[in-house]
Amino acid sequence: MPELPEVETTKRGLEPLIVSKIVNRVILHRDNLRWEIPKHLKTTLANQIIVDINRRGKYLLIQFKVGTLIIHLGMSGSIKVVDSIEALKKHDHFELELTNGKSMRLNDPRRFGAVLFSEGGSHVLLDSLGVEPLESDFDESYLYVRSRKKTQNIKAFIMDSKIVVGVGNIYACESLFACGIDPERKAGGISKAHYQLLTQCIKTILTQAIKAGGTTLQDFSQVDGSPGYFTQTLNVYGREAEKCSACNGKISRIIQNQRSTFYCKSCQS
DNA sequence: CTTGTCACCTGAGCGC
DNA sequence: TGCGCTCAGGTGACAA
């Protein structure tokens, strides 16, 4: 599900609802997601004030004085803040009950997400992450240098979180369409000029998607329950056999690295 | 080191 | 209605 725009949308939605609020208790409705949820959170975070919320790649970082609660939404996760007395939904797995009568609930049907904790703020899962795509250090020189001699396809390259974080299957497809690059091209053979186009397209598309509240396919919703509206802006993703918005061609779907890739054979080369 | 594949899990949608 | 199949916003752990 959630790529960078969806996680950023979640972060922005949560911020006014949980920052400066106090945790009454932590409730584990199951003891694991992708990994075991630390049991000590019940005692560690009880009565603690939420100091801040941040995002690193697709990770949400909820800051406490005693450390950082790290949440990943996996493929199907979403977070809502509801009245604590509201009935649990199916697949609500983790809950921060606040002292103001509200609860932050993590719902994740497929359970590929994670709830972790770091005392110091750093974590092995965050240590080797690449640059943020919306920061200025993500530019054509960065991608050009890192891609030399790489034989993998350009789509896998920009989806590699050790290179750049937050670009998932939807936005990789959309970005490559926007700048006219064939997703099957080898990353190492792409010119600096094309990398400039690509970085600009990634930045533009992610920014527009955040503005639209993200993309909703099935599971994702914003913190208030409303869907993301970027779905209607998608040019190729999920549009196999439909007409290309830029030419008379048909959108193709191929499989790359076990994932569907949508693109236009005549617009992308 | 790099690249590609598998595994984790539930649910929606489709053809029969 | 039901069954079996395919597909789905991610990514760590492996094998090659």
Side-chain angles (χ1 to χ4, degrees):
Chain A
M1 116 353 73
E3 302 182 35
L4 185 147
E6 292 73 38
V7 180
E8 180 66 21
T9 295
T10 301
K11 181 237 162 189
R12 293 183 185 185
L14 285 176
E15 193 159 18
L17 299 176
I18 68 168
V19 172
S20 304
K21 305 295 190 287
I22 295 166
V23 173
N24 188 41
R25 50 177 186 147
V26 177
I27 310 173
L28 278 57
H29 299 294
R30 73 156 24 236
D31 58 17
N32 73 300
L33 292 171
R34 182 170 187 180
W35 297 288
E36 184 174 20
I37 301 173
K39 291 184 183 70
H40 71 79
L41 291 178
K42 292 185 194 176
T43 48
T44 305
L45 297 184
N47 307 310
Q48 293 291 312
I49 186 166
I50 296 172
V51 176
D52 201 1
I53 179 168
N54 292 294
R55 177 190 59 73
R56 175 74 175 103
K58 296 171 188 167
Y59 293 91
L60 282 170
L61 308 174
I62 300 179
Q63 313 283 359
F64 293 84
K65 284 176 190 162
V66 292
T68 304
L69 184 67
I70 301 169
I71 297 178
H72 195 288
L73 299 177
M75 284 280 262
S76 58
S78 61
I79 294 176
K80 283 181 187 152
V81 174
V82 300
D83 291 334
S84 300
I85 56 168
E86 191 169 302
L88 276 187
K89 295 256 167 51
K90 192 174 186 182
H91 306 302
D92 279 347
H93 303 309
F94 178 81
E95 175 166 357
L96 288 184
E97 184 186 271
L98 307 176
T99 57
N100 66 357
K102 304 280 186 183
S103 281
M104 186 196 91
R105 289 178 181 164
L106 170 65
N107 186 283
D108 185 5
R110 293 177 72 181
R111 307 203 301 271
F112 291 167
V115 175
L116 301 164
F117 189 75
S118 159
E119 286 182 18
S122 67
H123 192 281
V124 281
L125 292 179
L126 306 177
D127 286 343
S128 53
L129 292 179
V131 299
E132 287 285 334
L134 297 179
E135 298 292 320
S136 58
D137 53 357
F138 178 65
D139 62 12
E140 65 274 18
S141 299
Y142 178 84
L143 284 187
Y144 183 76
V145 171
R146 299 287 298 255
S147 64
R148 290 312 88 183
K149 301 193 175 172
K150 293 247 181 199
T151 58
Q152 64 180 170
N153 63 65
I154 182 61
K155 186 194 176 210
F157 179 63
I158 60 172
M159 287 179 70
D160 182 351
S161 64
K162 289 178 172 45
I163 303 293
V164 56
V165 295
V167 181
N169 207 31
I170 294 178
Y171 300 110
C173 291
E174 293 297 317
S175 300
L176 290 168
F177 172 76
C179 66
I181 296 177
D182 182 341
E184 296 201 281
R185 284 186 64 185
K186 305 295 179 203
I190 292 175
S191 69
K192 203 166 187 176
H194 276 83
Y195 273 121
Q196 180 171 19
L197 278 177
L198 179 55
T199 52
Q200 284 172 353
C201 286
I202 290 173
K203 286 172 190 281
T204 301
I205 286 172
L206 292 178
T207 302
Q208 288 174 346
I210 291 168
K211 202 178 247 182
T215 296
T216 294
L217 297 182
Q218 288 167 32
D219 303 294
F220 179 73
S221 69
Q222 300 186 51
V223 172
D224 63 4
S226 63
Y229 295 100
F230 196 70
T231 315
Q232 53 210 67
T233 311
L234 299 177
N235 281 306
V236 288
Y237 186 87
R239 297 191 182 279
E240 182 183 14
E242 289 183 35
K243 202 171 174 184
C244 170
S245 58
C247 74
N248 289 325
K250 275 191 175 174
I251 308 289
S252 303
R253 180 171 81 98
I254 59 171
I255 303 295
Q256 292 182 288
N257 310 83
Q258 348 266 87
R259 312 292 297 277
S260 284
T261 296
F262 299 89
Y263 75 114
C264 175
K265 284 181 179 168
S266 59
C267 292
Q268 296 174 252
S269 57

